[in-house]
PDB file of all heavy atoms in Angstrom:
ATOM      1  N   PRO A  12       0.863  -1.226  -0.007  1.00  0.00           N
ATOM      2  CA  PRO A  12      -0.039   0.043   0.000  1.00  0.00           C
ATOM      3  C   PRO A  12       0.897   1.319  -0.030  1.00  0.00           C
ATOM      4  O   PRO A  12       1.768   1.428   0.736  1.00  0.00           O
ATOM      5  CB  PRO A  12      -0.767  -0.129   1.332  1.00  0.00           C
ATOM      6  CG  PRO A  12      -0.796  -1.581   1.567  1.00  0.00           C
ATOM      7  CD  PRO A  12       0.436  -2.164   1.081  1.00  0.00           C
ATOM      8  N   THR A  13       0.473   2.166  -0.844  1.00  0.00           N
ATOM      9  CA  THR A  13       1.129   3.528  -0.857  1.00  0.00           C
ATOM     10  C   THR A  13       0.623   4.295   0.268  1.00  0.00           C
ATOM     11  O   THR A  13      -0.547   4.258   0.610  1.00  0.00           O
ATOM     12  CB  THR A  13       0.847   4.192  -2.185  1.00  0.00           C
ATOM     13  OG1 THR A  13       1.312   3.446  -3.304  1.00  0.00           O
ATOM     14  CG2 THR A  13       1.296   5.662  -2.343  1.00  0.00           C
ATOM     15  N   THR A  14       1.478   5.106   0.909  1.00  0.00           N
ATOM     16  CA  THR A  14       1.204   6.005   2.033  1.00  0.00           C
ATOM     17  C   THR A  14       0.985   7.374   1.382  1.00  0.00           C
ATOM     18  O   THR A  14       1.960   7.879   0.767  1.00  0.00           O
ATOM     19  CB  THR A  14       2.250   5.962   3.077  1.00  0.00           C
ATOM     20  OG1 THR A  14       2.257   4.637   3.595  1.00  0.00           O
ATOM     21  CG2 THR A  14       1.796   6.841   4.262  1.00  0.00           C
ATOM     22  N   VAL A  15      -0.127   7.925   1.525  1.00  0.00           N
ATOM     23  CA  VAL A  15      -0.374   9.364   1.020  1.00  0.00           C
ATOM     24  C   VAL A  15      -0.368  10.208   2.252  1.00  0.00           C
ATOM     25  O   VAL A  15      -1.228  10.042   3.118  1.00  0.00           O
ATOM     26  CB  VAL A  15      -1.714   9.408   0.237  1.00  0.00           C
ATOM     27  CG1 VAL A  15      -2.016  10.868  -0.156  1.00  0.00           C
ATOM     28  CG2 VAL A  15      -1.724   8.472  -1.004  1.00  0.00           C
ATOM     29  N   LEU A  16       0.511  11.131   2.301  1.00  0.00           N
ATOM     30  CA  LEU A  16       0.579  12.187   3.292  1.00  0.00           C
ATOM     31  C   LEU A  16      -0.268  13.319   2.885  1.00  0.00           C
ATOM     32  O   LEU A  16       0.018  13.892   1.751  1.00  0.00           O
ATOM     33  CB  LEU A  16       2.000  12.520   3.633  1.00  0.00           C
ATOM     34  CG  LEU A  16       3.041  11.515   4.104  1.00  0.00           C
ATOM     35  CD1 LEU A  16       4.363  12.071   4.224  1.00  0.00           C
ATOM     36  CD2 LEU A  16       2.512  10.865   5.331  1.00  0.00           C
ATOM     37  N   THR A  17      -1.206  13.740   3.687  1.00  0.00           N
ATOM     38  CA  THR A  17      -2.167  14.830   3.220  1.00  0.00           C
ATOM     39  C   THR A  17      -2.531  15.565   4.453  1.00  0.00           C
ATOM     40  O   THR A  17      -2.040  15.370   5.613  1.00  0.00           O
ATOM     41  CB  THR A  17      -3.353  14.246   2.425  1.00  0.00           C
ATOM     42  OG1 THR A  17      -4.001  15.449   1.818  1.00  0.00           O
ATOM     43  CG2 THR A  17      -4.213  13.475   3.465  1.00  0.00           C
ATOM     44  N   CYS A  18      -3.341  16.667   4.330  1.00  0.00           N
ATOM     45  CA  CYS A  18      -3.796  17.479   5.390  1.00  0.00           C
ATOM     46  C   CYS A  18      -5.284  17.483   5.469  1.00  0.00           C
ATOM     47  O   CYS A  18      -6.009  16.915   4.471  1.00  0.00           O
ATOM     48  CB  CYS A  18      -3.282  18.881   5.135  1.00  0.00           C
ATOM     49  SG  CYS A  18      -3.904  19.676   3.699  1.00  0.00           S
ATOM     50  N   ALA A  19      -5.859  17.967   6.471  1.00  0.00           N
ATOM     51  CA  ALA A  19      -7.365  17.992   6.600  1.00  0.00           C
ATOM     52  C   ALA A  19      -8.078  18.885   5.665  1.00  0.00           C
ATOM     53  O   ALA A  19      -9.144  18.615   5.393  1.00  0.00           O
ATOM     54  CB  ALA A  19      -7.669  18.571   8.071  1.00  0.00           C
ATOM     55  N   ALA A  20      -7.261  19.768   5.076  1.00  0.00           N
ATOM     56  CA  ALA A  20      -7.962  20.571   4.045  1.00  0.00           C
ATOM     57  C   ALA A  20      -8.228  19.735   2.626  1.00  0.00           C
ATOM     58  O   ALA A  20      -9.054  20.211   1.826  1.00  0.00           O
ATOM     59  CB  ALA A  20      -7.089  21.844   3.703  1.00  0.00           C
ATOM     60  N   ALA A  21      -7.579  18.733   2.590  1.00  0.00           N
ATOM     61  CA  ALA A  21      -7.870  17.855   1.358  1.00  0.00           C
ATOM     62  C   ALA A  21      -9.240  17.355   1.362  1.00  0.00           C
ATOM     63  O   ALA A  21      -9.761  16.967   2.517  1.00  0.00           O
ATOM     64  CB  ALA A  21      -6.872  16.653   1.224  1.00  0.00           C
ATOM     65  N   PRO A  22      -9.927  17.454   0.271  1.00  0.00           N
ATOM     66  CA  PRO A  22     -11.292  17.088   0.274  1.00  0.00           C
ATOM     67  C   PRO A  22     -11.556  15.561   0.758  1.00  0.00           C
ATOM     68  O   PRO A  22     -10.805  14.691   0.377  1.00  0.00           O
ATOM     69  CB  PRO A  22     -11.750  17.173  -1.257  1.00  0.00           C
ATOM     70  CG  PRO A  22     -10.730  18.084  -1.860  1.00  0.00           C
ATOM     71  CD  PRO A  22      -9.486  17.866  -1.079  1.00  0.00           C
ATOM     72  N   GLU A  23     -12.559  15.461   1.625  1.00  0.00           N
ATOM     73  CA  GLU A  23     -12.906  14.170   2.148  1.00  0.00           C
ATOM     74  C   GLU A  23     -13.136  13.096   1.034  1.00  0.00           C
ATOM     75  O   GLU A  23     -12.660  11.938   1.186  1.00  0.00           O
ATOM     76  CB  GLU A  23     -14.039  14.192   3.130  1.00  0.00           C
ATOM     77  CG  GLU A  23     -14.468  12.936   3.714  1.00  0.00           C
ATOM     78  CD  GLU A  23     -13.517  12.236   4.529  1.00  0.00           C
ATOM     79  OE1 GLU A  23     -12.627  12.750   5.166  1.00  0.00           O
ATOM     80  OE2 GLU A  23     -13.405  10.933   4.439  1.00  0.00           O
ATOM     81  N   PRO A  24     -13.867  13.382   0.106  1.00  0.00           N
ATOM     82  CA  PRO A  24     -14.154  12.460  -0.957  1.00  0.00           C
ATOM     83  C   PRO A  24     -12.884  11.957  -1.585  1.00  0.00           C
ATOM     84  O   PRO A  24     -12.740  10.808  -2.052  1.00  0.00           O
ATOM     85  CB  PRO A  24     -14.980  13.158  -2.060  1.00  0.00           C
ATOM     86  CG  PRO A  24     -15.634  14.213  -1.239  1.00  0.00           C
ATOM     87  CD  PRO A  24     -14.687  14.681  -0.226  1.00  0.00           C
ATOM     88  N   THR A  25     -11.826  12.916  -1.749  1.00  0.00           N
ATOM     89  CA  THR A  25     -10.609  12.482  -2.362  1.00  0.00           C
ATOM     90  C   THR A  25      -9.764  11.564  -1.434  1.00  0.00           C
ATOM     91  O   THR A  25      -9.274  10.487  -1.875  1.00  0.00           O
ATOM     92  CB  THR A  25      -9.654  13.713  -2.639  1.00  0.00           C
ATOM     93  OG1 THR A  25     -10.406  14.512  -3.538  1.00  0.00           O
ATOM     94  CG2 THR A  25      -8.363  13.341  -3.281  1.00  0.00           C
ATOM     95  N   ARG A  26      -9.805  11.915  -0.162  1.00  0.00           N
ATOM     96  CA  ARG A  26      -9.114  10.985   0.907  1.00  0.00           C
ATOM     97  C   ARG A  26      -9.789   9.644   0.955  1.00  0.00           C
ATOM     98  O   ARG A  26      -9.145   8.593   0.961  1.00  0.00           O
ATOM     99  CB  ARG A  26      -9.199  11.654   2.260  1.00  0.00           C
ATOM    100  CG  ARG A  26      -8.179  12.892   2.286  1.00  0.00           C
ATOM    101  CD  ARG A  26      -8.202  13.370   3.726  1.00  0.00           C
ATOM    102  NE  ARG A  26      -9.284  14.340   3.961  1.00  0.00           N
ATOM    103  CZ  ARG A  26      -9.833  14.549   5.231  1.00  0.00           C
ATOM    104  NH1 ARG A  26      -9.360  14.015   6.256  1.00  0.00           N
ATOM    105  NH2 ARG A  26     -10.788  15.420   5.246  1.00  0.00           N
ATOM    106  N   ARG A  27     -11.106   9.589   0.811  1.00  0.00           N
ATOM    107  CA  ARG A  27     -11.778   8.346   0.903  1.00  0.00           C
ATOM    108  C   ARG A  27     -11.465   7.538  -0.380  1.00  0.00           C
ATOM    109  O   ARG A  27     -11.242   6.266  -0.343  1.00  0.00           O
ATOM    110  CB  ARG A  27     -13.283   8.622   0.981  1.00  0.00           C
ATOM    111  CG  ARG A  27     -14.135   7.307   1.140  1.00  0.00           C
ATOM    112  CD  ARG A  27     -15.633   7.627   1.639  1.00  0.00           C
ATOM    113  NE  ARG A  27     -16.180   8.648   0.802  1.00  0.00           N
ATOM    114  CZ  ARG A  27     -16.499   9.808   1.230  1.00  0.00           C
ATOM    115  NH1 ARG A  27     -16.242  10.173   2.540  1.00  0.00           N
ATOM    116  NH2 ARG A  27     -17.132  10.692   0.461  1.00  0.00           N
ATOM    117  N   ALA A  28     -11.357   8.241  -1.468  1.00  0.00           N
ATOM    118  CA  ALA A  28     -11.152   7.521  -2.790  1.00  0.00           C
ATOM    119  C   ALA A  28      -9.694   6.885  -2.847  1.00  0.00           C
ATOM    120  O   ALA A  28      -9.518   5.826  -3.265  1.00  0.00           O
ATOM    121  CB  ALA A  28     -11.260   8.560  -3.975  1.00  0.00           C
ATOM    122  N   TRP A  29      -8.754   7.580  -2.191  1.00  0.00           N
ATOM    123  CA  TRP A  29      -7.371   7.080  -2.038  1.00  0.00           C
ATOM    124  C   TRP A  29      -7.419   5.776  -1.277  1.00  0.00           C
ATOM    125  O   TRP A  29      -6.884   4.704  -1.581  1.00  0.00           O
ATOM    126  CB  TRP A  29      -6.444   7.979  -1.376  1.00  0.00           C
ATOM    127  CG  TRP A  29      -6.078   9.207  -2.246  1.00  0.00           C
ATOM    128  CD1 TRP A  29      -5.943   9.267  -3.566  1.00  0.00           C
ATOM    129  CD2 TRP A  29      -5.709  10.601  -1.696  1.00  0.00           C
ATOM    130  NE1 TRP A  29      -5.554  10.545  -3.919  1.00  0.00           N
ATOM    131  CE2 TRP A  29      -5.411  11.332  -2.764  1.00  0.00           C
ATOM    132  CE3 TRP A  29      -5.639  11.057  -0.426  1.00  0.00           C
ATOM    133  CZ2 TRP A  29      -4.970  12.637  -2.698  1.00  0.00           C
ATOM    134  CZ3 TRP A  29      -5.247  12.400  -0.268  1.00  0.00           C
ATOM    135  CH2 TRP A  29      -4.927  13.175  -1.353  1.00  0.00           C
ATOM    136  N   GLN A  30      -8.205   5.851  -0.087  1.00  0.00           N
ATOM    137  CA  GLN A  30      -8.202   4.683   0.721  1.00  0.00           C
ATOM    138  C   GLN A  30      -8.974   3.451   0.020  1.00  0.00           C
ATOM    139  O   GLN A  30      -8.461   2.379   0.122  1.00  0.00           O
ATOM    140  CB  GLN A  30      -8.969   5.048   1.960  1.00  0.00           C
ATOM    141  CG  GLN A  30      -8.226   5.910   2.909  1.00  0.00           C
ATOM    142  CD  GLN A  30      -8.992   6.288   4.146  1.00  0.00           C
ATOM    143  OE1 GLN A  30     -10.128   6.616   3.994  1.00  0.00           O
ATOM    144  NE2 GLN A  30      -8.337   6.302   5.340  1.00  0.00           N
ATOM    145  N   GLU A  31     -10.049   3.780  -0.678  1.00  0.00           N
ATOM    146  CA  GLU A  31     -10.766   2.713  -1.347  1.00  0.00           C
ATOM    147  C   GLU A  31      -9.904   2.195  -2.495  1.00  0.00           C
ATOM    148  O   GLU A  31     -10.064   0.987  -2.883  1.00  0.00           O
ATOM    149  CB  GLU A  31     -12.018   3.240  -1.908  1.00  0.00           C
ATOM    150  CG  GLU A  31     -13.100   3.576  -0.892  1.00  0.00           C
ATOM    151  CD  GLU A  31     -14.312   4.335  -1.357  1.00  0.00           C
ATOM    152  OE1 GLU A  31     -14.330   4.703  -2.575  1.00  0.00           O
ATOM    153  OE2 GLU A  31     -15.185   4.644  -0.503  1.00  0.00           O
ATOM    154  N   ALA A  32      -8.955   2.815  -3.083  1.00  0.00           N
ATOM    155  CA  ALA A  32      -8.047   2.378  -4.088  1.00  0.00           C
ATOM    156  C   ALA A  32      -6.875   1.599  -3.515  1.00  0.00           C
ATOM    157  O   ALA A  32      -6.146   1.036  -4.213  1.00  0.00           O
ATOM    158  CB  ALA A  32      -7.558   3.499  -4.903  1.00  0.00           C
ATOM    159  N   GLY A  33      -6.783   1.590  -2.221  1.00  0.00           N
ATOM    160  CA  GLY A  33      -5.743   0.775  -1.528  1.00  0.00           C
ATOM    161  C   GLY A  33      -4.669   1.539  -0.842  1.00  0.00           C
ATOM    162  O   GLY A  33      -3.745   0.866  -0.300  1.00  0.00           O
ATOM    163  N   ALA A  34      -4.707   2.882  -0.854  1.00  0.00           N
ATOM    164  CA  ALA A  34      -3.670   3.665  -0.259  1.00  0.00           C
ATOM    165  C   ALA A  34      -3.932   3.724   1.402  1.00  0.00           C
ATOM    166  O   ALA A  34      -5.022   3.739   1.805  1.00  0.00           O
ATOM    167  CB  ALA A  34      -3.631   5.066  -0.736  1.00  0.00           C
ATOM    168  N   ASP A  35      -2.807   3.888   2.112  1.00  0.00           N
ATOM    169  CA  ASP A  35      -2.913   4.245   3.471  1.00  0.00           C
ATOM    170  C   ASP A  35      -2.782   5.806   3.575  1.00  0.00           C
ATOM    171  O   ASP A  35      -1.875   6.295   3.023  1.00  0.00           O
ATOM    172  CB  ASP A  35      -1.783   3.662   4.312  1.00  0.00           C
ATOM    173  CG  ASP A  35      -1.855   2.166   4.431  1.00  0.00           C
ATOM    174  OD1 ASP A  35      -2.878   1.654   4.465  1.00  0.00           O
ATOM    175  OD2 ASP A  35      -0.697   1.546   4.465  1.00  0.00           O
ATOM    176  N   VAL A  36      -3.770   6.405   4.095  1.00  0.00           N
ATOM    177  CA  VAL A  36      -3.853   7.846   4.091  1.00  0.00           C
ATOM    178  C   VAL A  36      -3.523   8.330   5.541  1.00  0.00           C
ATOM    179  O   VAL A  36      -4.260   8.004   6.430  1.00  0.00           O
ATOM    180  CB  VAL A  36      -5.258   8.412   3.646  1.00  0.00           C
ATOM    181  CG1 VAL A  36      -5.283   9.882   3.670  1.00  0.00           C
ATOM    182  CG2 VAL A  36      -5.596   7.830   2.202  1.00  0.00           C
ATOM    183  N   VAL A  37      -2.560   9.309   5.634  1.00  0.00           N
ATOM    184  CA  VAL A  37      -2.158   9.908   6.848  1.00  0.00           C
ATOM    185  C   VAL A  37      -2.453  11.339   6.703  1.00  0.00           C
ATOM    186  O   VAL A  37      -1.902  11.989   5.982  1.00  0.00           O
ATOM    187  CB  VAL A  37      -0.666   9.693   7.163  1.00  0.00           C
ATOM    188  CG1 VAL A  37      -0.194  10.379   8.365  1.00  0.00           C
ATOM    189  CG2 VAL A  37      -0.252   8.259   7.244  1.00  0.00           C
ATOM    190  N   VAL A  38      -3.353  11.851   7.632  1.00  0.00           N
ATOM    191  CA  VAL A  38      -3.709  13.263   7.706  1.00  0.00           C
ATOM    192  C   VAL A  38      -2.787  13.914   8.719  1.00  0.00           C
ATOM    193  O   VAL A  38      -2.948  13.508   9.936  1.00  0.00           O
ATOM    194  CB  VAL A  38      -5.189  13.449   7.993  1.00  0.00           C
ATOM    195  CG1 VAL A  38      -5.475  14.880   8.201  1.00  0.00           C
ATOM    196  CG2 VAL A  38      -6.081  12.856   6.876  1.00  0.00           C
ATOM    197  N   ALA A  39      -2.044  14.847   8.324  1.00  0.00           N
ATOM    198  CA  ALA A  39      -1.054  15.432   9.259  1.00  0.00           C
ATOM    199  C   ALA A  39      -0.949  17.054   8.960  1.00  0.00           C
ATOM    200  O   ALA A  39      -0.468  17.464   7.989  1.00  0.00           O
ATOM    201  CB  ALA A  39       0.295  14.980   9.033  1.00  0.00           C
ATOM    202  N   GLY A  40      -1.776  17.733   9.742  1.00  0.00           N
ATOM    203  CA  GLY A  40      -1.901  19.180   9.484  1.00  0.00           C
ATOM    204  C   GLY A  40      -3.212  19.566   9.120  1.00  0.00           C
ATOM    205  O   GLY A  40      -4.039  18.731   8.605  1.00  0.00           O
ATOM    206  N   GLU A  41      -3.452  20.826   9.215  1.00  0.00           N
ATOM    207  CA  GLU A  41      -4.786  21.462   8.822  1.00  0.00           C
ATOM    208  C   GLU A  41      -4.841  21.912   7.400  1.00  0.00           C
ATOM    209  O   GLU A  41      -5.571  21.324   6.525  1.00  0.00           O
ATOM    210  CB  GLU A  41      -5.141  22.556   9.795  1.00  0.00           C
ATOM    211  CG  GLU A  41      -5.414  22.040  11.183  1.00  0.00           C
ATOM    212  CD  GLU A  41      -6.590  21.036  11.310  1.00  0.00           C
ATOM    213  OE1 GLU A  41      -7.593  21.269  10.609  1.00  0.00           O
ATOM    214  OE2 GLU A  41      -6.399  20.142  11.994  1.00  0.00           O
ATOM    215  N   ASP A  42      -4.059  22.920   7.102  1.00  0.00           N
ATOM    216  CA  ASP A  42      -4.161  23.551   5.719  1.00  0.00           C
ATOM    217  C   ASP A  42      -2.994  23.087   4.864  1.00  0.00           C
ATOM    218  O   ASP A  42      -2.972  23.244   3.611  1.00  0.00           O
ATOM    219  CB  ASP A  42      -4.133  25.066   5.826  1.00  0.00           C
ATOM    220  CG  ASP A  42      -5.338  25.557   6.581  1.00  0.00           C
ATOM    221  OD1 ASP A  42      -6.433  25.107   6.235  1.00  0.00           O
ATOM    222  OD2 ASP A  42      -5.195  26.547   7.394  1.00  0.00           O
ATOM    223  N   ALA A  43      -1.976  22.523   5.377  1.00  0.00           N
ATOM    224  CA  ALA A  43      -0.817  22.027   4.655  1.00  0.00           C
ATOM    225  C   ALA A  43      -0.303  20.760   5.421  1.00  0.00           C
ATOM    226  O   ALA A  43      -0.666  20.649   6.692  1.00  0.00           O
ATOM    227  CB  ALA A  43       0.278  23.144   4.535  1.00  0.00           C
ATOM    228  N   VAL A  44       0.476  19.884   4.731  1.00  0.00           N
ATOM    229  CA  VAL A  44       1.069  18.767   5.546  1.00  0.00           C
ATOM    230  C   VAL A  44       2.077  19.295   6.544  1.00  0.00           C
ATOM    231  O   VAL A  44       2.985  20.078   6.172  1.00  0.00           O
ATOM    232  CB  VAL A  44       1.736  17.848   4.548  1.00  0.00           C
ATOM    233  CG1 VAL A  44       2.355  16.665   5.276  1.00  0.00           C
ATOM    234  CG2 VAL A  44       0.653  17.200   3.583  1.00  0.00           C
ATOM    235  N   ASP A  45       1.854  18.922   7.750  1.00  0.00           N
ATOM    236  CA  ASP A  45       2.810  19.146   8.810  1.00  0.00           C
ATOM    237  C   ASP A  45       3.765  17.940   8.932  1.00  0.00           C
ATOM    238  O   ASP A  45       3.464  16.946   9.324  1.00  0.00           O
ATOM    239  CB  ASP A  45       2.013  19.268  10.087  1.00  0.00           C
ATOM    240  CG  ASP A  45       2.946  19.535  11.321  1.00  0.00           C
ATOM    241  OD1 ASP A  45       4.015  19.119  11.325  1.00  0.00           O
ATOM    242  OD2 ASP A  45       2.435  20.150  12.285  1.00  0.00           O
ATOM    243  N   LEU A  46       5.107  18.289   8.450  1.00  0.00           N
ATOM    244  CA  LEU A  46       6.048  17.127   8.373  1.00  0.00           C
ATOM    245  C   LEU A  46       6.273  16.483   9.701  1.00  0.00           C
ATOM    246  O   LEU A  46       6.495  15.324   9.726  1.00  0.00           O
ATOM    247  CB  LEU A  46       7.289  17.595   7.636  1.00  0.00           C
ATOM    248  CG  LEU A  46       7.148  18.045   6.225  1.00  0.00           C
ATOM    249  CD1 LEU A  46       8.420  18.466   5.635  1.00  0.00           C
ATOM    250  CD2 LEU A  46       6.592  16.838   5.423  1.00  0.00           C
ATOM    251  N   ALA A  47       6.407  17.206  10.753  1.00  0.00           N
ATOM    252  CA  ALA A  47       6.707  16.690  12.020  1.00  0.00           C
ATOM    253  C   ALA A  47       5.542  15.761  12.499  1.00  0.00           C
ATOM    254  O   ALA A  47       5.730  14.628  13.033  1.00  0.00           O
ATOM    255  CB  ALA A  47       6.917  17.798  13.139  1.00  0.00           C
ATOM    256  N   ALA A  48       4.309  16.220  12.298  1.00  0.00           N
ATOM    257  CA  ALA A  48       3.155  15.390  12.600  1.00  0.00           C
ATOM    258  C   ALA A  48       3.119  14.162  11.708  1.00  0.00           C
ATOM    259  O   ALA A  48       2.701  13.064  12.201  1.00  0.00           O
ATOM    260  CB  ALA A  48       1.838  16.207  12.415  1.00  0.00           C
ATOM    261  N   ALA A  49       3.553  14.254  10.500  1.00  0.00           N
ATOM    262  CA  ALA A  49       3.521  13.090   9.601  1.00  0.00           C
ATOM    263  C   ALA A  49       4.604  12.085  10.098  1.00  0.00           C
ATOM    264  O   ALA A  49       4.323  10.869  10.076  1.00  0.00           O
ATOM    265  CB  ALA A  49       3.840  13.615   8.155  1.00  0.00           C
ATOM    266  N   VAL A  50       5.765  12.587  10.412  1.00  0.00           N
ATOM    267  CA  VAL A  50       6.785  11.730  10.955  1.00  0.00           C
ATOM    268  C   VAL A  50       6.295  10.948  12.242  1.00  0.00           C
ATOM    269  O   VAL A  50       6.486   9.782  12.364  1.00  0.00           O
ATOM    270  CB  VAL A  50       8.147  12.386  11.161  1.00  0.00           C
ATOM    271  CG1 VAL A  50       9.094  11.513  11.863  1.00  0.00           C
ATOM    272  CG2 VAL A  50       8.641  12.889   9.795  1.00  0.00           C
ATOM    273  N   THR A  51       5.617  11.662  13.046  1.00  0.00           N
ATOM    274  CA  THR A  51       5.161  11.089  14.267  1.00  0.00           C
ATOM    275  C   THR A  51       4.075   9.979  14.001  1.00  0.00           C
ATOM    276  O   THR A  51       4.193   8.866  14.498  1.00  0.00           O
ATOM    277  CB  THR A  51       4.536  12.137  15.269  1.00  0.00           C
ATOM    278  OG1 THR A  51       5.610  13.057  15.579  1.00  0.00           O
ATOM    279  CG2 THR A  51       3.850  11.528  16.479  1.00  0.00           C
ATOM    280  N   ALA A  52       3.241  10.351  13.006  1.00  0.00           N
ATOM    281  CA  ALA A  52       2.207   9.287  12.628  1.00  0.00           C
ATOM    282  C   ALA A  52       2.748   8.122  12.070  1.00  0.00           C
ATOM    283  O   ALA A  52       2.311   6.919  12.218  1.00  0.00           O
ATOM    284  CB  ALA A  52       1.119   9.996  11.731  1.00  0.00           C
ATOM    285  N   LEU A  53       3.855   8.271  11.104  1.00  0.00           N
ATOM    286  CA  LEU A  53       4.409   7.207  10.487  1.00  0.00           C
ATOM    287  C   LEU A  53       5.259   6.366  11.548  1.00  0.00           C
ATOM    288  O   LEU A  53       5.201   5.108  11.338  1.00  0.00           O
ATOM    289  CB  LEU A  53       5.382   7.619   9.401  1.00  0.00           C
ATOM    290  CG  LEU A  53       4.658   8.278   8.219  1.00  0.00           C
ATOM    291  CD1 LEU A  53       5.719   8.941   7.205  1.00  0.00           C
ATOM    292  CD2 LEU A  53       3.764   7.283   7.353  1.00  0.00           C
TER     293      LEU A  53
END
């Protein structure tokens, strides 16, 4: 599975579509990807 790092501002339907296609989706940050939060989640 591909890990997609994204933020909460990414449209929910898009995040759901990535998951349904087989990706692991990590939401880290509100308006942009917060790299420190992403590293913590990973």
